[in-house]
Amino acid sequence: MDMGVLQNIVANSAYVSARGSVDGTAASTMRDKKFRAKLKLPHIKKSEHMKTTVDSGFDSMCVKQPIGKRLFQQYLESDATHKNACELWKDMEDYNITQEKYRVQKAQKIVNKFYESKIFCSFLEEKAVTRIKEDHNNIRGDLFKKSEQQLLKHLETKAMSGFKNSMYFLRYIQFKWLETQPIDEDWFMDFRVLGKGGFGEVHACQMKATGKMYANKKLDKKRLKKQRLRAIVEKRTLAKVHSRFIVSLAYAFQTKTNLCLVMTIMNGGDLRFHIYNVDEKNPGFDETRACFYSAQIIMGIEHLHQHRIIYRDLKPENVLLDDAGHVRLSDLGLAVELPPGKDKTKGYVGTPGFVAPEPIEHKEYDYTVDYFTLGVTLYEMIQVENTEVQRQVPQKDGKAICEGLMEKDPVKRLGFKNNESGKKYTLLKKIKETLKQHNVTRMGAFSFIKGVVIDAKDNEFYDDFSSGNVPIPWQEEMMETGVFGELKLWTPGGNLPDDLDP
Ligand code: ADP
Ligand code: MG
Ligand code: MG
């Protein structure tokens, strides 16, 4: 047996057992003790100086960042004046993730507890209260939206300063200190190769200190050279967006030879593989499955658009599946962010065969190009040409939607949000229903690159790339692997039992 094959088998079985450990209950047993020991909160004196510089805007600290939010809620629960508001906040969040069939029941409970008496929740405006009392029997994802806004506004003005004077805020600063500690390749154990890209390989890897599995996309510095701006764009874009439908970036660092992006691991392969290779004689998906993926893809695209980002490279190959069969968009190296005040961009970017006509014709274009590529992707998923014989998919609908999406004129193009012309298609209705429930060209062989010299400018660029831990995914990792809970045993005074919790 040749050594390469053997190496791969070993890497693979180690990978399988590492995966098992995170899927099951034994995540912590797979941790490397030496690295786990490095994840230690600093003495308060060591992090105190960050009090004024730390990210402490209400929305970021108390709502978006998982650890910040948890500590803020712990503070609210410890204070009699805010206890009820916190309980309502958590109940509203529960409602948002409650299955549809239990929603009415859940809403009724919340109304009884907080809206009928309204003793403790004087911050809720009369109008919102009346609406919810009238409306709570209808299943609506945004039932509590207005109330939640009022609640958060209230907490921002009434509870935030108290929080910032409490021990919980000091704890937040300690975590932020820990979050900003540099980490490097030593913190990750590499397993098998998940795929190959234009600038290097993507490996499965495990963060040693927590046991969490990730995908490590390694970009070869020498091979990257001319296209390094793309690496920066990919990193910045990934770090900016946080969606269940886009791979998230947890760490960005460099080694002597590579730039590394550590991201959500997607074990299920890409959609291209599932369309063509799983059942070669019968490519494509049935309608339900195509709708399921389309809905998730649309959620991903719309999240990007909300952040003023045009994806530009949607194709089955860039849509990856996880263990549970859900999909996320990946490979954001061709994305572009529209600067404030600008609504269009230029430049022929994308994959031939998928790109909309505007970029090809060197015209200005906007977000609608992503709906064109969605059309081509959907076309492949439902295999418009093949299904005539092999499948009983409502051909006409599928074809009509693809054509609507692949409309040459971007103004007439089907765009899902403001477009009425799509209403008649049942497939589109199905996609929209699925959406509602969701409230859920490679460069080939690697040749060694000679004669590339790394200069001072390169190093500046590499430093810009290597920004380290990305707050939200890092905090999620600390919470879901239990590290956050374990670190509660630390107090500002030293390694004493926690005196924060009653
Ligand atoms: P490139 O930008 O060079 O095309 P990609 O980001 O597409 O690189 O990654 C190359 C390949 O690596 C993908 O086609 C896929 O097979 C695999 N891959 C990329 N990201 C992940 C991930 N997060 N999880 C699992 N596999 C991945
Ligand atoms: Mg790719
Ligand atoms: Mg790419």
Side-chain angles (χ1 to χ4, degrees), residues 196-198 217 234 270 313 315 317-318 320 330-332 351 441-442:
K196 285 182 185 158
K217 178 170 174 175
E234 181 162 20
D270 62 46
D313 201 21
K315 53 180 174 180
E317 196 186 309
N318 281 344
L320 306 181
S330 77
D331 201 353
L332 273 69
T351 304
T441 348
R442 255 169 241 168

PDB file of all heavy atoms in Angstrom, residues 196-198 217 234 270 313 315 317-318 320 330-332 351 441-442, ligand 2:
ATOM      1  N   LYS A 196     -10.651  20.699  -2.619  1.00  0.00           N
ATOM      2  CA  LYS A 196      -9.543  21.510  -3.121  1.00  0.00           C
ATOM      3  C   LYS A 196     -10.071  22.722  -3.832  1.00  0.00           C
ATOM      4  O   LYS A 196     -11.062  22.654  -4.544  1.00  0.00           O
ATOM      5  CB  LYS A 196      -8.687  20.679  -4.072  1.00  0.00           C
ATOM      6  CG  LYS A 196      -7.828  19.702  -3.321  1.00  0.00           C
ATOM      7  CD  LYS A 196      -6.933  18.884  -4.221  1.00  0.00           C
ATOM      8  CE  LYS A 196      -6.220  17.861  -3.346  1.00  0.00           C
ATOM      9  NZ  LYS A 196      -5.747  16.717  -4.075  1.00  0.00           N
ATOM     10  N   GLY A 197      -9.399  23.835  -3.617  1.00  0.00           N
ATOM     11  CA  GLY A 197      -9.808  25.065  -4.285  1.00  0.00           C
ATOM     12  C   GLY A 197      -8.671  25.573  -5.156  1.00  0.00           C
ATOM     13  O   GLY A 197      -7.655  24.900  -5.324  1.00  0.00           O
ATOM     14  N   GLY A 198      -8.841  26.751  -5.685  1.00  0.00           N
ATOM     15  CA  GLY A 198      -7.845  27.316  -6.580  1.00  0.00           C
ATOM     16  C   GLY A 198      -6.528  27.642  -5.901  1.00  0.00           C
ATOM     17  O   GLY A 198      -5.486  27.687  -6.549  1.00  0.00           O
ATOM     18  N   LYS A 217      -9.768  26.399   5.511  1.00  0.00           N
ATOM     19  CA  LYS A 217      -9.420  26.688   4.107  1.00  0.00           C
ATOM     20  C   LYS A 217      -8.058  27.360   4.087  1.00  0.00           C
ATOM     21  O   LYS A 217      -7.887  28.458   4.603  1.00  0.00           O
ATOM     22  CB  LYS A 217     -10.495  27.600   3.495  1.00  0.00           C
ATOM     23  CG  LYS A 217     -10.224  28.001   2.054  1.00  0.00           C
ATOM     24  CD  LYS A 217     -11.443  28.691   1.454  1.00  0.00           C
ATOM     25  CE  LYS A 217     -11.156  29.238   0.067  1.00  0.00           C
ATOM     26  NZ  LYS A 217     -12.359  29.799  -0.572  1.00  0.00           N
ATOM     27  N   GLU A 234     -12.901  37.907   0.876  1.00  0.00           N
ATOM     28  CA  GLU A 234     -13.563  36.725   1.411  1.00  0.00           C
ATOM     29  C   GLU A 234     -13.574  36.760   2.935  1.00  0.00           C
ATOM     30  O   GLU A 234     -14.587  36.493   3.568  1.00  0.00           O
ATOM     31  CB  GLU A 234     -12.862  35.455   0.906  1.00  0.00           C
ATOM     32  CG  GLU A 234     -13.523  34.192   1.415  1.00  0.00           C
ATOM     33  CD  GLU A 234     -13.145  32.951   0.622  1.00  0.00           C
ATOM     34  OE1 GLU A 234     -12.108  32.984  -0.074  1.00  0.00           O
ATOM     35  OE2 GLU A 234     -13.885  31.959   0.711  1.00  0.00           O
ATOM     36  N   ASP A 270     -21.081  19.106  -1.811  1.00  0.00           N
ATOM     37  CA  ASP A 270     -21.777  20.259  -2.398  1.00  0.00           C
ATOM     38  C   ASP A 270     -22.983  19.824  -3.229  1.00  0.00           C
ATOM     39  O   ASP A 270     -23.165  18.649  -3.527  1.00  0.00           O
ATOM     40  CB  ASP A 270     -20.806  21.130  -3.210  1.00  0.00           C
ATOM     41  CG  ASP A 270     -20.190  20.388  -4.382  1.00  0.00           C
ATOM     42  OD1 ASP A 270     -20.927  19.703  -5.113  1.00  0.00           O
ATOM     43  OD2 ASP A 270     -18.957  20.491  -4.564  1.00  0.00           O
ATOM     44  N   ASP A 313     -21.435  34.626  -7.188  1.00  0.00           N
ATOM     45  CA  ASP A 313     -20.906  33.326  -7.595  1.00  0.00           C
ATOM     46  C   ASP A 313     -21.795  32.178  -7.125  1.00  0.00           C
ATOM     47  O   ASP A 313     -21.295  31.118  -6.748  1.00  0.00           O
ATOM     48  CB  ASP A 313     -19.477  33.172  -7.074  1.00  0.00           C
ATOM     49  CG  ASP A 313     -18.689  32.126  -7.861  1.00  0.00           C
ATOM     50  OD1 ASP A 313     -19.086  31.817  -9.013  1.00  0.00           O
ATOM     51  OD2 ASP A 313     -17.685  31.615  -7.333  1.00  0.00           O
ATOM     52  N   LYS A 315     -23.777  28.999  -7.443  1.00  0.00           N
ATOM     53  CA  LYS A 315     -23.839  27.830  -8.333  1.00  0.00           C
ATOM     54  C   LYS A 315     -23.858  26.611  -7.417  1.00  0.00           C
ATOM     55  O   LYS A 315     -23.434  26.705  -6.255  1.00  0.00           O
ATOM     56  CB  LYS A 315     -22.626  27.796  -9.265  1.00  0.00           C
ATOM     57  CG  LYS A 315     -21.288  27.897  -8.546  1.00  0.00           C
ATOM     58  CD  LYS A 315     -20.130  27.865  -9.518  1.00  0.00           C
ATOM     59  CE  LYS A 315     -18.823  28.116  -8.794  1.00  0.00           C
ATOM     60  NZ  LYS A 315     -17.667  28.107  -9.671  1.00  0.00           N
ATOM     61  N   GLU A 317     -22.089  24.122  -6.956  1.00  0.00           N
ATOM     62  CA  GLU A 317     -20.800  23.775  -6.368  1.00  0.00           C
ATOM     63  C   GLU A 317     -20.490  24.579  -5.102  1.00  0.00           C
ATOM     64  O   GLU A 317     -19.764  24.126  -4.218  1.00  0.00           O
ATOM     65  CB  GLU A 317     -19.739  24.060  -7.429  1.00  0.00           C
ATOM     66  CG  GLU A 317     -18.404  23.440  -7.183  1.00  0.00           C
ATOM     67  CD  GLU A 317     -17.421  23.922  -8.240  1.00  0.00           C
ATOM     68  OE1 GLU A 317     -17.745  23.843  -9.446  1.00  0.00           O
ATOM     69  OE2 GLU A 317     -16.330  24.390  -7.838  1.00  0.00           O
ATOM     70  N   ASN A 318     -21.033  25.789  -5.004  1.00  0.00           N
ATOM     71  CA  ASN A 318     -20.732  26.633  -3.851  1.00  0.00           C
ATOM     72  C   ASN A 318     -21.776  26.533  -2.739  1.00  0.00           C
ATOM     73  O   ASN A 318     -21.711  27.245  -1.747  1.00  0.00           O
ATOM     74  CB  ASN A 318     -20.591  28.090  -4.288  1.00  0.00           C
ATOM     75  CG  ASN A 318     -19.234  28.353  -4.919  1.00  0.00           C
ATOM     76  OD1 ASN A 318     -18.311  27.551  -4.756  1.00  0.00           O
ATOM     77  ND2 ASN A 318     -19.119  29.446  -5.647  1.00  0.00           N
ATOM     78  N   LEU A 320     -23.079  24.219   0.092  1.00  0.00           N
ATOM     79  CA  LEU A 320     -22.597  23.031   0.797  1.00  0.00           C
ATOM     80  C   LEU A 320     -23.624  22.489   1.781  1.00  0.00           C
ATOM     81  O   LEU A 320     -24.387  23.247   2.382  1.00  0.00           O
ATOM     82  CB  LEU A 320     -21.301  23.360   1.551  1.00  0.00           C
ATOM     83  CG  LEU A 320     -20.158  23.984   0.741  1.00  0.00           C
ATOM     84  CD1 LEU A 320     -18.943  24.228   1.647  1.00  0.00           C
ATOM     85  CD2 LEU A 320     -19.769  23.106  -0.440  1.00  0.00           C
ATOM     86  N   SER A 330     -21.197  29.163   0.404  1.00  0.00           N
ATOM     87  CA  SER A 330     -19.779  29.251   0.756  1.00  0.00           C
ATOM     88  C   SER A 330     -19.021  29.920  -0.383  1.00  0.00           C
ATOM     89  O   SER A 330     -19.618  30.267  -1.394  1.00  0.00           O
ATOM     90  CB  SER A 330     -19.203  27.856   0.989  1.00  0.00           C
ATOM     91  OG  SER A 330     -18.968  27.217  -0.258  1.00  0.00           O
ATOM     92  N   ASP A 331     -17.724  30.069  -0.216  1.00  0.00           N
ATOM     93  CA  ASP A 331     -16.853  30.613  -1.255  1.00  0.00           C
ATOM     94  C   ASP A 331     -17.257  32.046  -1.631  1.00  0.00           C
ATOM     95  O   ASP A 331     -17.801  32.295  -2.710  1.00  0.00           O
ATOM     96  CB  ASP A 331     -16.902  29.690  -2.487  1.00  0.00           C
ATOM     97  CG  ASP A 331     -15.679  29.887  -3.374  1.00  0.00           C
ATOM     98  OD1 ASP A 331     -14.894  30.808  -3.104  1.00  0.00           O
ATOM     99  OD2 ASP A 331     -15.525  29.128  -4.340  1.00  0.00           O
ATOM    100  N   LEU A 332     -16.992  32.973  -0.725  1.00  0.00           N
ATOM    101  CA  LEU A 332     -17.414  34.354  -0.939  1.00  0.00           C
ATOM    102  C   LEU A 332     -16.310  35.242  -1.529  1.00  0.00           C
ATOM    103  O   LEU A 332     -16.372  36.465  -1.446  1.00  0.00           O
ATOM    104  CB  LEU A 332     -17.934  34.963   0.373  1.00  0.00           C
ATOM    105  CG  LEU A 332     -19.421  34.710   0.636  1.00  0.00           C
ATOM    106  CD1 LEU A 332     -19.700  33.258   0.927  1.00  0.00           C
ATOM    107  CD2 LEU A 332     -19.944  35.581   1.764  1.00  0.00           C
ATOM    108  N   THR A 351     -18.981  32.849 -12.632  1.00  0.00           N
ATOM    109  CA  THR A 351     -18.607  31.621 -13.317  1.00  0.00           C
ATOM    110  C   THR A 351     -19.350  31.557 -14.652  1.00  0.00           C
ATOM    111  O   THR A 351     -20.573  31.681 -14.675  1.00  0.00           O
ATOM    112  CB  THR A 351     -18.989  30.412 -12.450  1.00  0.00           C
ATOM    113  OG1 THR A 351     -18.356  30.553 -11.174  1.00  0.00           O
ATOM    114  CG2 THR A 351     -18.544  29.111 -13.100  1.00  0.00           C
ATOM    115  N   THR A 441     -14.480  27.484 -11.252  1.00  0.00           N
ATOM    116  CA  THR A 441     -13.668  26.845 -12.190  1.00  0.00           C
ATOM    117  C   THR A 441     -12.277  26.662 -11.616  1.00  0.00           C
ATOM    118  O   THR A 441     -11.501  27.569 -11.475  1.00  0.00           O
ATOM    119  CB  THR A 441     -13.553  27.652 -13.462  1.00  0.00           C
ATOM    120  OG1 THR A 441     -14.456  28.636 -13.465  1.00  0.00           O
ATOM    121  CG2 THR A 441     -13.306  26.746 -14.581  1.00  0.00           C
ATOM    122  N   ARG A 442     -12.154  25.553 -11.052  1.00  0.00           N
ATOM    123  CA  ARG A 442     -10.918  25.276 -10.340  1.00  0.00           C
ATOM    124  C   ARG A 442      -9.646  25.332 -11.178  1.00  0.00           C
ATOM    125  O   ARG A 442      -9.680  25.064 -12.367  1.00  0.00           O
ATOM    126  CB  ARG A 442     -11.008  23.916  -9.711  1.00  0.00           C
ATOM    127  CG  ARG A 442     -11.240  24.063  -8.227  1.00  0.00           C
ATOM    128  CD  ARG A 442     -11.594  22.753  -7.657  1.00  0.00           C
ATOM    129  NE  ARG A 442     -12.905  22.806  -7.070  1.00  0.00           N
ATOM    130  CZ  ARG A 442     -13.556  21.738  -6.689  1.00  0.00           C
ATOM    131  NH1 ARG A 442     -13.035  20.553  -6.891  1.00  0.00           N
ATOM    132  NH2 ARG A 442     -14.720  21.845  -6.125  1.00  0.00           N
TER     133      ARG A 442
HETATM  134 MG    MG B   2     -15.102  27.150  -5.042  1.00  0.00          MG
END
